[in-house]
Amino acid sequence: MTASESTGTDRVALAFSGGLDTTVCVPLLEDEYGYDQVIGVTVDVGQPEAEFAEARETAEALDVEHHVVDARAEFADLCLRSVQANATYQGYPLGTALARPIIATAIREVADAEDCVALAHGCTGKGNDQLRFEAVWRDTDYEVVAPVRELGLTREWENDYAAERGLPVEGGAAGRYSIDANLWSRSIEGSELEDPATVPEDDIYEWTASPGREPELLELTFEDGEPVALDGDPMDPVELVETVNEIAGAHGVGRTDMMEDRMLGLKVRENYEHPAATVLLTAHEALEQLVLTYEERAFKSQVDQQWAHKAYQGLIDAPFVEALEAFLGSTQERVTGTVTVKLEGGGCRPVARESAYAVYSERAASFNEEDVGGGITQEDATGVAKYHGFQSRLANSAIERGRDRDTE
Ligand code: ARG
């Protein structure tokens, strides 16, 4: 029995935020696509409370069935997995990218339970999110519908359509930007920010205050590469990220204004805020500096980059990622200890670190100790120093000899 036979209606599950794009999708899915019923699904990945109220009210006004799925714990776990990979893409800590596979999967589960025939999103045909959603959805038998992309809609058209139809959308400054916020980052796009030469007004930021506070120290405790406590208080991942967002945000930590290379090749100007991500990534890397060997760090930075790239693509399920994580996992056992960071002037930097696994010998490095330890003394470096650069010297004299011969 197909879904439509069982219910007598063709239902479509729509990724729904209550924002402009997904709001106009509702009447379009009914009128233009002919679906009988739209089910709006909002997945909770830690976006601000106000967004749920907005989604709920908009769904009510549109008279669509509305589901909210709580995926915060799962999302926070993934964010912390990304910390083990020191994951950023061109400087962006990947909040939107990490959330998409989780949101897409949650929506598919609602569609299964509600006998839907189709899955829909309100992404444009220019961005990354369409690819990330559909990477999950195209693995199913559902019809996949993307009204904004397929009907070639612009934000201006959507605003006019919403006004004409009396659809509930936020006007004014709040509706000016395209915002995507979750536990890990808040992105602000659109309007005057589309001109990379425009300096943003401070009011685009909601999580980060303009710096001006007295500096503050935070101590993070890591176990197996995962942050587990703040200033000695154990916290679960959601609580930890929320608390650090609050504290570091008040110091103006974690603003990024960047040019980003999207998957389709477009360059876009992006503004992000991500206080907790900045603090946790900074602290984690500081601990790795203490406990990992030179080769491990050098190779891991390549593995980290590959991991971040797959995460940016929304392809965290790829077997390649599992293989990368096998390497990451074997390095993280020793990433256990504490790091103190200083929040100051909108920045965050490590100022102290400690671990039982430190690959560090004070005796070896100290200016006050004559010998190195392990039966090695300073004088033993004399032979090394004589050899250092030997091959370059050989090569340079060979080059000189060659030139002399040529000019003879
Ligand atoms: N460029 C980022 C990404 O692809 C964030 C996009 C956020 N979307 C938005 N409507 N502000 O991950």
Side-chain angles (χ1 to χ4, degrees):
M1 197 165 54
T2 67
S4 49
E5 276 165 346
S6 70
T7 59
T9 49
D10 277 349
R11 303 165 133 206
V12 51
L14 167 68
F16 186 73
S17 67
L20 178 64
D21 291 316
T22 59
T23 297
V24 303
C25 279
V26 172
L28 292 171
L29 286 167
E30 292 167 355
D31 301 349
E32 301 296 321
Y33 287 84
Y35 290 106
D36 301 304
Q37 194 188 351
V38 179
I39 295 177
V41 186
T42 305
V43 181
D44 185 353
V45 280
Q47 53 274 57
E49 246 336 286
E51 287 194 19
F52 295 100
E54 190 191 335
R56 225 175 293 120
E57 282 160 28
T58 309
E60 216 163 277
L62 291 164
D63 200 22
V64 294
E65 189 179 317
H66 185 223
H67 293 242
V68 176
V69 182
D70 183 0
R72 285 195 316 158
E74 192 187 339
F75 181 55
D77 284 347
L78 181 56
C79 294
L80 297 193
R81 231 165 97 197
S82 84
V83 170
Q84 304 197 351
N86 301 315
T88 59
Y89 173 81
Q90 301 184 333
Y92 149 54
L94 296 161
T96 298
L98 292 170
R100 289 305 176 263
I102 289 178
I103 295 172
T105 305
I107 291 169
R108 198 195 64 211
E109 283 164 8
V110 171
D112 291 347
E114 296 296 322
D115 278 339
C116 293
V117 297
L119 300 164
H121 63 69
C123 308
T124 71
K126 295 187 177 182
N128 296 319
D129 286 340
Q130 52 174 342
L131 307 179
R132 298 169 181 149
F133 274 119
E134 293 181 37
V136 175
W137 291 351
R138 299 233 178 240
D139 195 28
T140 69
D141 292 329
Y142 288 104
E143 294 161 20
V144 174
V145 198
V148 176
R149 177 180 74 203
E150 285 155 13
L151 304 173
L153 309 186
T154 62
R155 234 175 139 71
E156 205 177 350
W157 185 92
E158 291 175 356
N159 269 314
D160 291 345
Y161 178 79
E164 240 169 64
R165 290 259 182 155
L167 302 179
V169 293
E170 275 195 84
R176 189 151 102 224
Y177 304 111
S178 172
I179 309 253
D180 183 62
N182 59 42
L183 262 187
W184 206 233
S185 63
R186 178 171 179 270
S187 116
I188 314 112
E189 295 178 333
S191 197
E192 77 282 357
L193 301 175
E194 287 178 352
D195 177 359
T198 301
V199 180
E201 295 294 330
D202 255 8
D203 66 5
I204 67 163
Y205 300 112
E206 276 183 12
W207 293 5
T208 51
S210 295
R213 287 207 164 196
E214 282 298 299
E216 185 174 347
L217 299 180
L218 289 185
E219 188 197 71
L220 280 311
T221 305
F222 288 84
E223 266 169 31
D224 296 343
E226 197 175 300
V228 293
L230 176 64
D231 290 334
D233 292 336
M235 288 186 192
D236 68 51
V238 173
E239 188 190 4
L240 183 76
V241 175
E242 282 179 346
T243 310
V244 177
N245 262 335
E246 194 106 338
I247 298 171
H251 285 271
V253 169
R255 286 183 180 174
T256 303
D257 184 331
M258 64 185 281
M259 296 308 297
E260 180 175 312
D261 293 294
R262 283 189 185 160
M263 281 185 260
L264 293 176
L266 287 80
K267 266 190 197 295
V268 276
R269 195 269 188 88
E270 287 282 359
N271 276 278
Y272 296 108
E273 337 181 60
H274 40 78
T278 296
V279 169
L280 297 176
L281 289 164
T282 301
H284 178 265
E285 202 167 0
L287 195 51
E288 286 194 336
Q289 290 174 1
L290 183 66
V291 302
L292 299 184
T293 63
Y294 171 79
E295 289 85 356
E296 284 174 320
R297 289 180 58 199
F299 187 68
K300 185 171 182 295
S301 75
Q302 296 177 49
V303 174
D304 288 349
Q305 209 184 350
Q306 295 292 327
W307 193 97
H309 188 238
K310 295 316 278 181
Y312 186 73
Q313 292 178 309
L315 300 178
I316 213 76
D317 269 349
F320 180 46
V321 173
E322 209 182 311
L324 296 174
E325 287 187 352
F327 174 80
L328 295 179
S330 81
T331 63
Q332 294 303 292
E333 284 163 30
R334 284 169 285 145
V335 186
T336 294
T338 61
V339 175
T340 303
V341 296
K342 189 170 195 171
L343 312 178
E344 185 176 33
C348 164
R349 64 198 162 87
V351 290
R353 68 289 280 158
E354 240 182 307
S355 171
Y357 297 95
V359 185
Y360 177 75
S361 151
E362 199 165 337
R363 178 174 172 193
S366 175
F367 293 111
N368 294 324
E369 294 281 348
E370 204 280 311
D371 72 340
V372 178
I376 308 171
T377 66
Q378 278 199 66
E379 286 157 34
D380 290 325
T382 307
V384 179
K386 284 182 181 167
Y387 261 112
H388 190 60
F390 182 53
Q391 191 165 69
S392 298
R393 292 196 290 275
L394 284 176
N396 283 330
S397 55
I399 291 166
E400 229 166 87
R401 272 200 313 278
R403 281 205 195 111
D404 288 349
R405 230 171 277 140
D406 286 347
T407 50
E408 266 166 23

